[in-house]
Amino acid sequence: MESYQCLVIGISRYQFFPPLNHGEGDAKAIYQFFRQEVNIPERQLLLLSDTSGTFSGLSAYPNGDNLLNWLKLNNIDRLNPQNTPLWFFFLGYGLNYQGEDYLMPIDGNPQDVAHTGIRVSTILDILQQQTDRPILVILNLYLSGSPTKVGQQSINLAKHKKIGLIFSLRQSSETTLSQGIFTSALLEALRYYRREITLSKLAQYLGDRLPSISFSGEKLVLSPIVISPSLAFSSQSLFASIQREKLDITQSDFEPLKQSSTSSVPQPISAINVSIEDKSAPNFPLLPALEVTHTMTQPEPEETIPMTTYQFFLPSSVKIEPPHDGKWLWLGGVFVLLVLFLLIYGARWTLLAPDSSPELTSSFQYSTAQLESQRELLKQATTYLKENQASSFNRAIQEVGKIPLSSPVYQEAQEKMARWSEMILDIAQGRAKQGNFQDAIAAAKLVPPQQKQVYNAALKAIETWQVQVKQQQVNQALIDGAKALIQPALASSYNQGITILRQIRSSEPGYKQAQELIEQWSQKIYRLANSRAKQGDYQSAIATAKLVPAGTSAHQMAKNALAKWQAKLD
């Protein structure tokens, strides 16, 4: 097995979690960077994502078993120099369950974390057992639901095991950005410093850069925390062993990304919302971000991780002048009161004037504009709808749900939400009828709880389908086991396979496939019997024909042939 310099895992379309926008896409961007720009050979890179196929003859689909198998198969130390770090990326959901941090594979279930998740401690142990080289673990985790203490154990483990760690955590996002903000900043830094990149520089860059990256709807929960196992590791190049000519990053790749002359982290100030366009920075508008914590030494373990430390960052070029005199504040207050007085009485006079037109009243204008906006929202929501795509209906429901109870179109919005919820359940039921229970469950989970009747029906269906999923897995194992027994020239192997397949009941998933195989293998047994009879070996032909099971189309033909062959022996 080839050794790896970089293992990248990114998941977007979970079976039991809401889909993520950036998991798989960000993982592919990281993989492409190491492959095309750092020029690491494909045989030393491993990508496990939603659409990954096979690699070296093994499945790269990111379920729990595959993830652990790849980690255990990885012969890390064989080819790579000792000063080259092993990069390990995970981009997907993370949970803390009973004090343990877990990374959730694509089949991870939040209702059964202990059995379907993968402990961070297990991953770190496997990596350490396989290599004496430095390890850099980068976890870009998403939360599902309310914040938890996920991350604290991972940080403490990295400190204890002396493993490099970059840890970022945020709420699952609904933004349509082509790339997550953490990955954008990370790749930016790698391209900017190129061969001179160190963990210390990377931490500083992320700290300087992330506050100025546009959120565009993303809800960042925790800025990156960087853990270094030693001062030496912090200062050595992360691409130390890669020859200079291998780094295929040109000056034009990173020139637009240079920072302004001030490289230090902006100091946070509270309760000031300033919109400034920084021409020297990359094309990300300044917006509020979280304070970045750099942990480049070995601090004492914290009891908890601060989950909400929102700050507003102000560039040093912007100055806020305080009031020079109290009289200006007093005059400003008088001016505001005067404007309010004129607005109130002006609007009242307009409403009472006999010749006034309704279109001129400020209250009517406001209501009309608001109503038109809400009607436009209803119209826009319908454009999201795509046939047989449950997530599109869920998106439309979320959009229409913004219309308040006081709106004249509220009732229409509620009717649409109810109808779209039913359509989500219809899509889920259609998938279940096709035997695609996992996708059916994923769709049914998109029914909003506000639609109680449909939501309760979806919950009941999910319970049924979860049982079916387990049965489907059992039956698929039976089918695979039966296929493994088959030896083309051995009739008894087909008979044994048929015996196994007959354990699958007509009401269970996989029954149709099992019956098709039983029919095919019965025909094969009959053809083998005929072939032996043509060679004059009637005793062997009779013994083979007796293996054709009853209830198949070949059984009656075998029975008739048996009589003829027996007569020839008599």
Side-chain angles (χ1 to χ4, degrees):
M1 180 63 67
E2 182 63 274
S3 59
Y4 299 108
Q5 295 190 50
C6 182
L7 290 81
V8 188
I9 302 164
I11 305 169
S12 289
R13 198 163 178 263
Y14 277 84
Q15 295 175 10
F16 301 104
F17 287 90
L20 296 173
N21 286 321
H22 300 311
E24 180 182 31
D26 283 8
K28 288 182 176 179
I30 293 167
Y31 175 87
Q32 291 300 327
F33 169 80
F34 279 90
R35 176 66 190 97
Q36 297 177 0
E37 300 183 46
V38 185
N39 282 332
I40 294 179
E42 282 188 10
R43 67 181 183 275
Q44 293 182 6
L45 292 171
L46 179 61
L47 171 66
L48 280 74
S49 69
D50 306 21
T51 55
S52 294
T54 58
F55 186 76
S56 298
L58 300 174
S59 172
Y61 184 70
N63 61 25
D65 290 340
N66 287 345
L67 295 188
L68 287 174
N69 287 340
W70 276 110
L71 284 170
K72 293 173 182 178
L73 284 171
N74 182 25
N75 186 8
I76 294 170
D77 276 325
R78 183 174 295 175
L79 296 179
N80 294 325
Q82 291 296 310
N83 61 341
T84 302
L86 168 70
W87 298 72
F88 177 88
F89 293 85
F90 182 86
L91 304 97
Y93 280 107
L95 295 176
N96 183 280
Y97 178 72
Q98 295 183 348
E100 289 269 0
D101 282 354
Y102 288 80
L103 305 184
M104 302 307 291
I106 199 166
D107 57 347
N109 189 336
Q111 304 301 321
D112 190 14
V113 177
H115 294 98
T116 62
I118 302 176
R119 288 183 174 89
V120 172
S121 59
T122 300
I123 292 174
L124 300 185
D125 286 343
I126 292 173
L127 293 175
Q128 276 200 323
Q129 289 168 6
Q130 294 202 15
T131 182
D132 293 328
R133 293 165 45 211
I135 301 169
L136 181 56
V137 175
I138 300 178
L139 303 180
N140 186 21
L141 303 186
Y142 294 83
L143 284 172
S144 177
S146 59
T148 65
K149 292 183 179 180
V150 61
Q152 183 61 65
Q153 191 214 20
S154 299
I155 293 167
N156 291 337
L157 284 170
K159 294 175 185 177
H160 177 71
K161 294 178 179 293
K162 299 187 182 303
I163 290 175
L165 172 69
I166 301 177
F167 181 89
S168 179
L169 182 69
R170 70 175 186 263
Q171 294 281 3
S172 56
S173 166
E174 294 185 359
T175 180
T176 57
L177 287 173
S178 60
Q179 196 171 87
I181 59 174
F182 173 78
T183 302
S184 297
L186 176 68
L187 294 179
E188 223 178 76
L190 297 178
R191 291 187 174 109
Y192 184 85
Y193 285 108
R194 301 191 293 174
R195 194 170 174 274
E196 285 72 32
I197 187 68
T198 65
L199 186 59
S200 178
K201 289 178 180 179
L202 181 56
Q204 181 66 39
Y205 194 99
L206 293 176
D208 289 348
R209 188 67 191 93
L210 282 175
S212 64
I213 291 181
S214 171
F215 274 56
S216 298
E218 291 198 270
K219 297 178 180 178
L220 197 63
V221 175
L222 185 66
S223 289
I225 289 179
V226 180
I227 303 293
S228 176
S230 66
L231 289 175
F233 185 80
S234 301
S235 57
Q236 76 177 39
S237 171
L238 296 177
F239 296 141
S241 68
I242 300 174
Q243 298 176 4
R244 184 177 296 273
E245 59 269 19
K246 276 191 173 184
L247 279 174
D248 189 25
I249 307 174
T250 63
Q251 186 74 9
S252 60
D253 287 326
F254 66 91
E255 234 171 25
L257 303 175
K258 287 183 178 179
Q259 302 294 298
S260 59
S261 58
T262 304
S263 63
S264 60
V265 180
Q267 296 300 314
I269 62 175
S270 60
I272 297 179
N273 187 356
V274 181
S275 178
I276 298 294
E277 184 178 1
D278 185 357
K279 295 295 185 182
S280 65
N283 296 322
F284 293 94
L286 286 170
L287 283 173
L290 293 175
E291 186 175 9
V292 179
T293 304
H294 299 291
T295 311
M296 300 304 297
T297 59
Q298 299 292 322
E300 293 299 320
E302 300 170 354
E303 291 184 3
T304 59
I305 296 177
M307 301 306 294
T308 53
T309 55
Y310 288 99
Q311 302 286 346
F312 286 83
F313 288 83
L314 189 65
S316 57
S317 59
V318 180
K319 295 181 179 179
I320 303 297
E321 295 292 338
H324 295 288
D325 198 312
K327 69 178 182 180
W328 295 110
L329 182 61
W330 180 83
L331 289 174
V334 172
F335 178 76
V336 171
L337 289 174
L338 180 60
V339 170
L340 289 173
F341 177 85
L342 291 174
L343 285 174
I344 293 170
Y345 280 88
R348 181 182 178 188
W349 177 83
T350 304
L351 287 169
L352 296 177
D355 296 329
S356 64
S357 171
E359 288 78 14
L360 298 178
T361 63
S362 60
S363 62
F364 186 83
Q365 286 179 339
Y366 175 80
S367 298
T368 301
Q370 189 179 38
L371 181 59
E372 287 302 320
S373 173
Q374 290 166 0
R375 284 176 175 164
E376 182 61 29
L377 190 150
L378 278 174
K379 182 179 178 181
Q380 178 66 26
T382 60
T383 65
Y384 301 149
L385 304 180
K386 296 180 181 179
E387 188 178 2
N388 294 327
Q389 189 172 343
S391 59
S392 70
F393 288 91
N394 179 269
R395 181 185 178 189
I397 290 170
Q398 298 300 323
E399 194 71 16
V400 171
K402 298 175 183 177
I403 296 175
L405 178 63
S406 57
S407 171
V409 296
Y410 175 78
Q411 188 58 39
E412 181 182 355
Q414 292 298 306
E415 292 172 359
K416 287 182 180 293
M417 290 171 66
R419 184 164 64 254
W420 292 341
S421 298
E422 291 173 354
M423 294 182 75
I424 292 175
L425 185 55
D426 287 344
I427 291 171
Q429 290 170 338
R431 294 174 181 177
K433 288 180 180 178
Q434 296 173 357
N436 191 354
F437 298 108
Q438 291 182 335
D439 281 352
I441 291 170
K445 287 184 175 181
L446 296 176
V447 175
Q450 295 84 353
Q451 304 297 321
K452 292 184 179 180
Q453 185 174 355
V454 185
Y455 180 73
N456 290 335
L459 288 179
K460 291 181 180 178
I462 288 172
E463 289 181 4
T464 301
W465 296 335
Q466 286 174 338
V467 174
Q468 295 279 58
V469 165
K470 292 180 180 179
Q471 187 63 57
Q472 189 176 51
Q473 293 171 344
V474 170
N475 289 351
Q476 188 60 50
L478 290 174
I479 292 171
D480 293 341
K483 288 181 178 179
L485 290 173
I486 299 303
Q487 299 180 43
L490 190 61
S492 61
S493 69
Y494 290 101
N495 182 267
Q496 291 171 1
I498 290 170
T499 302
I500 291 174
L501 293 179
R502 284 195 159 174
Q503 297 178 52
I504 301 175
R505 300 175 183 176
S506 60
S507 60
E508 295 175 353
Y511 176 77
K512 182 179 178 182
Q513 183 184 0
Q515 290 302 305
E516 290 173 352
L517 289 172
I518 289 173
E519 188 65 28
Q520 292 172 17
W521 294 348
S522 298
Q523 293 285 348
K524 182 66 176 177
I525 295 172
Y526 176 65
R527 287 195 293 271
L528 286 172
N530 261 329
S531 174
R532 290 165 184 173
K534 288 179 181 179
Q535 295 173 4
D537 188 358
Y538 293 111
Q539 287 185 339
S540 178
I542 291 171
T544 301
K546 288 181 178 179
L547 296 176
V548 176
T552 62
S553 60
H555 179 69
Q556 187 59 44
M557 294 186 292
K559 189 176 180 180
N560 295 337
L562 275 169
K564 294 179 181 178
W565 299 334
Q566 189 64 49
K568 289 185 178 183
L569 287 176
D570 295 341

mmCIF file of all heavy atoms in Angstrom, residues 203-234:
data_model
loop_
_atom_site.group_PDB
_atom_site.id
_atom_site.type_symbol
_atom_site.label_atom_id
_atom_site.label_comp_id
_atom_site.label_asym_id
_atom_site.label_seq_id
_atom_site.Cartn_x
_atom_site.Cartn_y
_atom_site.Cartn_z
ATOM 1 N N ALA A 203 -1.163 30.341 11.275
ATOM 2 C CA ALA A 203 -2.023 30.805 12.363
ATOM 3 C C ALA A 203 -2.191 32.317 12.314
ATOM 4 O O ALA A 203 -3.294 32.842 12.484
ATOM 5 C CB ALA A 203 -1.432 30.383 13.706
ATOM 6 N N GLN A 204 -1.078 33.037 12.072
ATOM 7 C CA GLN A 204 -1.143 34.500 12.001
ATOM 8 C C GLN A 204 -2.004 34.952 10.832
ATOM 9 O O GLN A 204 -2.819 35.874 10.941
ATOM 10 C CB GLN A 204 0.270 35.076 11.876
ATOM 11 C CG GLN A 204 0.327 36.594 11.827
ATOM 12 C CD GLN A 204 -0.128 37.209 13.141
ATOM 13 O OE1 GLN A 204 0.183 36.692 14.203
ATOM 14 N NE2 GLN A 204 -0.887 38.286 13.055
ATOM 15 N N TYR A 205 -1.848 34.275 9.687
ATOM 16 C CA TYR A 205 -2.604 34.660 8.498
ATOM 17 C C TYR A 205 -4.108 34.457 8.712
ATOM 18 O O TYR A 205 -4.917 35.320 8.378
ATOM 19 C CB TYR A 205 -2.139 33.843 7.295
ATOM 20 C CG TYR A 205 -2.617 34.393 5.958
ATOM 21 C CD1 TYR A 205 -1.773 35.167 5.173
ATOM 22 C CD2 TYR A 205 -3.899 34.137 5.496
ATOM 23 C CE1 TYR A 205 -2.201 35.670 3.956
ATOM 24 C CE2 TYR A 205 -4.332 34.634 4.285
ATOM 25 C CZ TYR A 205 -3.486 35.401 3.510
ATOM 26 O OH TYR A 205 -3.913 35.902 2.313
ATOM 27 N N LEU A 206 -4.464 33.300 9.270
ATOM 28 C CA LEU A 206 -5.882 33.038 9.527
ATOM 29 C C LEU A 206 -6.439 34.064 10.512
ATOM 30 O O LEU A 206 -7.576 34.516 10.382
ATOM 31 C CB LEU A 206 -6.065 31.624 10.078
ATOM 32 C CG LEU A 206 -5.759 30.474 9.114
ATOM 33 C CD1 LEU A 206 -5.893 29.134 9.832
ATOM 34 C CD2 LEU A 206 -6.671 30.519 7.903
ATOM 35 N N GLY A 207 -5.627 34.431 11.509
ATOM 36 C CA GLY A 207 -6.074 35.433 12.474
ATOM 37 C C GLY A 207 -6.268 36.790 11.855
ATOM 38 O O GLY A 207 -7.224 37.512 12.174
ATOM 39 N N ASP A 208 -5.345 37.179 10.947
ATOM 40 C CA ASP A 208 -5.467 38.472 10.281
ATOM 41 C C ASP A 208 -6.586 38.475 9.253
ATOM 42 O O ASP A 208 -7.254 39.478 9.042
ATOM 43 C CB ASP A 208 -4.153 38.819 9.569
ATOM 44 C CG ASP A 208 -3.051 39.160 10.545
ATOM 45 O OD1 ASP A 208 -3.369 39.355 11.736
ATOM 46 O OD2 ASP A 208 -1.882 39.218 10.125
ATOM 47 N N ARG A 209 -6.771 37.330 8.587
ATOM 48 C CA ARG A 209 -7.614 37.282 7.395
ATOM 49 C C ARG A 209 -9.094 37.043 7.684
ATOM 50 O O ARG A 209 -9.962 37.669 7.093
ATOM 51 C CB ARG A 209 -7.108 36.173 6.466
ATOM 52 C CG ARG A 209 -7.782 36.167 5.113
ATOM 53 C CD ARG A 209 -7.408 37.395 4.318
ATOM 54 N NE ARG A 209 -8.241 37.512 3.151
ATOM 55 C CZ ARG A 209 -9.370 38.203 3.104
ATOM 56 N NH1 ARG A 209 -9.811 38.806 4.164
ATOM 57 N NH2 ARG A 209 -10.059 38.292 1.990
ATOM 58 N N LEU A 210 -9.378 36.119 8.576
ATOM 59 C CA LEU A 210 -10.771 35.723 8.758
ATOM 60 C C LEU A 210 -11.692 36.851 9.195
ATOM 61 O O LEU A 210 -12.838 36.890 8.776
ATOM 62 C CB LEU A 210 -10.872 34.551 9.739
ATOM 63 C CG LEU A 210 -10.517 33.202 9.116
ATOM 64 C CD1 LEU A 210 -10.529 32.109 10.161
ATOM 65 C CD2 LEU A 210 -11.470 32.848 7.991
ATOM 66 N N PRO A 211 -11.255 37.814 10.044
ATOM 67 C CA PRO A 211 -12.179 38.887 10.416
ATOM 68 C C PRO A 211 -12.689 39.700 9.249
ATOM 69 O O PRO A 211 -13.729 40.313 9.335
ATOM 70 C CB PRO A 211 -11.338 39.757 11.366
ATOM 71 C CG PRO A 211 -10.359 38.803 11.941
ATOM 72 C CD PRO A 211 -10.026 37.863 10.819
ATOM 73 N N SER A 212 -11.941 39.717 8.113
ATOM 74 C CA SER A 212 -12.370 40.541 6.985
ATOM 75 C C SER A 212 -13.083 39.749 5.906
ATOM 76 O O SER A 212 -13.399 40.271 4.853
ATOM 77 C CB SER A 212 -11.153 41.240 6.359
ATOM 78 O OG SER A 212 -10.265 40.288 5.822
ATOM 79 N N ILE A 213 -13.325 38.453 6.147
ATOM 80 C CA ILE A 213 -14.015 37.639 5.149
ATOM 81 C C ILE A 213 -15.518 37.788 5.316
ATOM 82 O O ILE A 213 -16.050 37.770 6.407
ATOM 83 C CB ILE A 213 -13.602 36.156 5.268
ATOM 84 C CG1 ILE A 213 -12.139 36.012 4.827
ATOM 85 C CG2 ILE A 213 -14.479 35.263 4.436
ATOM 86 C CD1 ILE A 213 -11.636 34.604 4.866
ATOM 87 N N SER A 214 -16.222 37.912 4.194
ATOM 88 C CA SER A 214 -17.671 38.101 4.228
ATOM 89 C C SER A 214 -18.369 36.875 4.769
ATOM 90 O O SER A 214 -18.061 35.757 4.387
ATOM 91 C CB SER A 214 -18.177 38.390 2.814
ATOM 92 O OG SER A 214 -19.578 38.370 2.792
ATOM 93 N N PHE A 215 -19.322 37.105 5.654
ATOM 94 C CA PHE A 215 -20.102 35.987 6.192
ATOM 95 C C PHE A 215 -21.160 35.549 5.192
ATOM 96 O O PHE A 215 -21.418 34.397 5.037
ATOM 97 C CB PHE A 215 -20.778 36.398 7.502
ATOM 98 C CG PHE A 215 -19.880 36.209 8.677
ATOM 99 C CD1 PHE A 215 -18.645 36.816 8.721
ATOM 100 C CD2 PHE A 215 -20.250 35.402 9.725
ATOM 101 C CE1 PHE A 215 -17.815 36.637 9.786
ATOM 102 C CE2 PHE A 215 -19.428 35.218 10.800
ATOM 103 C CZ PHE A 215 -18.205 35.843 10.830
ATOM 104 N N SER A 216 -21.823 36.466 4.537
ATOM 105 C CA SER A 216 -22.864 36.166 3.545
ATOM 106 C C SER A 216 -23.838 35.107 4.031
ATOM 107 O O SER A 216 -24.181 34.169 3.339
ATOM 108 C CB SER A 216 -22.233 35.713 2.220
ATOM 109 O OG SER A 216 -21.448 36.736 1.682
ATOM 110 N N GLY A 217 -24.247 35.205 5.277
ATOM 111 C CA GLY A 217 -25.233 34.274 5.812
ATOM 112 C C GLY A 217 -24.650 33.192 6.672
ATOM 113 O O GLY A 217 -25.357 32.496 7.382
ATOM 114 N N GLU A 218 -23.329 32.966 6.628
ATOM 115 C CA GLU A 218 -22.744 31.920 7.463
ATOM 116 C C GLU A 218 -22.704 32.376 8.916
ATOM 117 O O GLU A 218 -22.455 33.525 9.215
ATOM 118 C CB GLU A 218 -21.340 31.587 6.987
ATOM 119 C CG GLU A 218 -21.342 30.887 5.637
ATOM 120 C CD GLU A 218 -20.032 30.198 5.397
ATOM 121 O OE1 GLU A 218 -19.142 30.829 4.838
ATOM 122 O OE2 GLU A 218 -19.908 29.025 5.768
ATOM 123 N N LYS A 219 -22.944 31.450 9.820
ATOM 124 C CA LYS A 219 -22.950 31.751 11.252
ATOM 125 C C LYS A 219 -21.746 31.065 11.884
ATOM 126 O O LYS A 219 -21.807 29.920 12.287
ATOM 127 C CB LYS A 219 -24.252 31.266 11.896
ATOM 128 C CG LYS A 219 -25.488 31.968 11.348
ATOM 129 C CD LYS A 219 -26.740 31.414 11.999
ATOM 130 C CE LYS A 219 -27.988 32.095 11.471
ATOM 131 N NZ LYS A 219 -29.199 31.542 12.066
ATOM 132 N N LEU A 220 -20.633 31.786 11.921
ATOM 133 C CA LEU A 220 -19.431 31.217 12.512
ATOM 134 C C LEU A 220 -19.588 31.149 14.015
ATOM 135 O O LEU A 220 -19.965 32.123 14.649
ATOM 136 C CB LEU A 220 -18.230 32.092 12.146
ATOM 137 C CG LEU A 220 -16.854 31.473 12.321
ATOM 138 C CD1 LEU A 220 -16.675 30.278 11.403
ATOM 139 C CD2 LEU A 220 -15.785 32.501 12.032
ATOM 140 N N VAL A 221 -19.310 30.013 14.598
ATOM 141 C CA VAL A 221 -19.457 29.838 16.039
ATOM 142 C C VAL A 221 -18.127 30.030 16.748
ATOM 143 O O VAL A 221 -18.050 30.644 17.791
ATOM 144 C CB VAL A 221 -20.010 28.424 16.348
ATOM 145 C CG1 VAL A 221 -20.053 28.182 17.843
ATOM 146 C CG2 VAL A 221 -21.400 28.288 15.756
ATOM 147 N N LEU A 222 -17.054 29.525 16.187
ATOM 148 C CA LEU A 222 -15.770 29.594 16.851
ATOM 149 C C LEU A 222 -14.674 29.787 15.816
ATOM 150 O O LEU A 222 -14.588 29.058 14.854
ATOM 151 C CB LEU A 222 -15.501 28.298 17.613
ATOM 152 C CG LEU A 222 -14.241 28.260 18.471
ATOM 153 C CD1 LEU A 222 -14.364 29.236 19.621
ATOM 154 C CD2 LEU A 222 -14.021 26.866 19.004
ATOM 155 N N SER A 223 -13.860 30.842 16.005
ATOM 156 C CA SER A 223 -12.739 31.066 15.106
ATOM 157 C C SER A 223 -11.695 29.972 15.290
ATOM 158 O O SER A 223 -11.674 29.289 16.311
ATOM 159 C CB SER A 223 -12.135 32.434 15.380
ATOM 160 O OG SER A 223 -13.003 33.444 14.944
ATOM 161 N N PRO A 224 -10.787 29.815 14.299
ATOM 162 C CA PRO A 224 -9.817 28.725 14.396
ATOM 163 C C PRO A 224 -8.946 28.813 15.635
ATOM 164 O O PRO A 224 -8.478 29.881 16.014
ATOM 165 C CB PRO A 224 -8.982 28.897 13.120
ATOM 166 C CG PRO A 224 -9.883 29.588 12.177
ATOM 167 C CD PRO A 224 -10.711 30.500 13.015
ATOM 168 N N ILE A 225 -8.735 27.672 16.257
ATOM 169 C CA ILE A 225 -7.763 27.523 17.335
ATOM 170 C C ILE A 225 -6.623 26.682 16.777
ATOM 171 O O ILE A 225 -6.849 25.650 16.152
ATOM 172 C CB ILE A 225 -8.382 26.844 18.567
ATOM 173 C CG1 ILE A 225 -9.350 27.814 19.245
ATOM 174 C CG2 ILE A 225 -7.317 26.401 19.555
ATOM 175 C CD1 ILE A 225 -10.035 27.231 20.449
ATOM 176 N N VAL A 226 -5.388 27.149 16.972
ATOM 177 C CA VAL A 226 -4.218 26.482 16.420
ATOM 178 C C VAL A 226 -3.379 25.934 17.572
ATOM 179 O O VAL A 226 -3.014 26.665 18.484
ATOM 180 C CB VAL A 226 -3.384 27.450 15.562
ATOM 181 C CG1 VAL A 226 -2.160 26.740 15.001
ATOM 182 C CG2 VAL A 226 -4.242 28.012 14.427
ATOM 183 N N ILE A 227 -3.086 24.639 17.510
ATOM 184 C CA ILE A 227 -2.272 23.975 18.525
ATOM 185 C C ILE A 227 -0.989 23.493 17.851
ATOM 186 O O ILE A 227 -1.036 22.829 16.818
ATOM 187 C CB ILE A 227 -3.004 22.765 19.142
ATOM 188 C CG1 ILE A 227 -4.342 23.192 19.743
ATOM 189 C CG2 ILE A 227 -2.131 22.083 20.181
ATOM 190 C CD1 ILE A 227 -4.223 24.093 20.929
ATOM 191 N N SER A 228 0.153 23.820 18.427
ATOM 192 C CA SER A 228 1.440 23.349 17.908
ATOM 193 C C SER A 228 2.088 22.430 18.937
ATOM 194 O O SER A 228 2.111 22.744 20.128
ATOM 195 C CB SER A 228 2.368 24.525 17.622
ATOM 196 O OG SER A 228 3.633 24.054 17.200
ATOM 197 N N PRO A 229 2.650 21.300 18.490
ATOM 198 C CA PRO A 229 3.277 20.376 19.445
ATOM 199 C C PRO A 229 4.611 20.880 19.992
ATOM 200 O O PRO A 229 5.062 20.420 21.035
ATOM 201 C CB PRO A 229 3.464 19.098 18.623
ATOM 202 C CG PRO A 229 3.514 19.555 17.208
ATOM 203 C CD PRO A 229 2.629 20.756 17.123
ATOM 204 N N SER A 230 5.254 21.808 19.255
ATOM 205 C CA SER A 230 6.549 22.302 19.707
ATOM 206 C C SER A 230 6.877 23.590 18.972
ATOM 207 O O SER A 230 6.294 23.906 17.923
ATOM 208 C CB SER A 230 7.651 21.267 19.442
ATOM 209 O OG SER A 230 7.830 21.093 18.049
ATOM 210 N N LEU A 231 7.833 24.330 19.510
ATOM 211 C CA LEU A 231 8.283 25.549 18.846
ATOM 212 C C LEU A 231 8.950 25.222 17.516
ATOM 213 O O LEU A 231 8.827 25.964 16.538
ATOM 214 C CB LEU A 231 9.249 26.306 19.751
ATOM 215 C CG LEU A 231 8.639 26.971 20.992
ATOM 216 C CD1 LEU A 231 9.724 27.580 21.846
ATOM 217 C CD2 LEU A 231 7.613 28.020 20.580
ATOM 218 N N ALA A 232 9.675 24.100 17.484
ATOM 219 C CA ALA A 232 10.340 23.697 16.237
ATOM 220 C C ALA A 232 9.317 23.426 15.141
ATOM 221 O O ALA A 232 9.497 23.837 13.983
ATOM 222 C CB ALA A 232 11.196 22.452 16.487
ATOM 223 N N PHE A 233 8.247 22.739 15.489
ATOM 224 C CA PHE A 233 7.209 22.448 14.504
ATOM 225 C C PHE A 233 6.548 23.736 14.011
ATOM 226 O O PHE A 233 6.193 23.866 12.847
ATOM 227 C CB PHE A 233 6.170 21.514 15.107
ATOM 228 C CG PHE A 233 5.111 21.066 14.128
ATOM 229 C CD1 PHE A 233 5.357 20.055 13.224
ATOM 230 C CD2 PHE A 233 3.856 21.671 14.109
ATOM 231 C CE1 PHE A 233 4.389 19.641 12.323
ATOM 232 C CE2 PHE A 233 2.888 21.269 13.210
ATOM 233 C CZ PHE A 233 3.158 20.250 12.319
ATOM 234 N N SER A 234 6.380 24.705 14.918
ATOM 235 C CA SER A 234 5.733 25.968 14.558
ATOM 236 C C SER A 234 6.521 26.737 13.521
ATOM 237 O O SER A 234 5.946 27.453 12.704
ATOM 238 C CB SER A 234 5.560 26.846 15.802
ATOM 239 O OG SER A 234 4.792 26.191 16.776
#
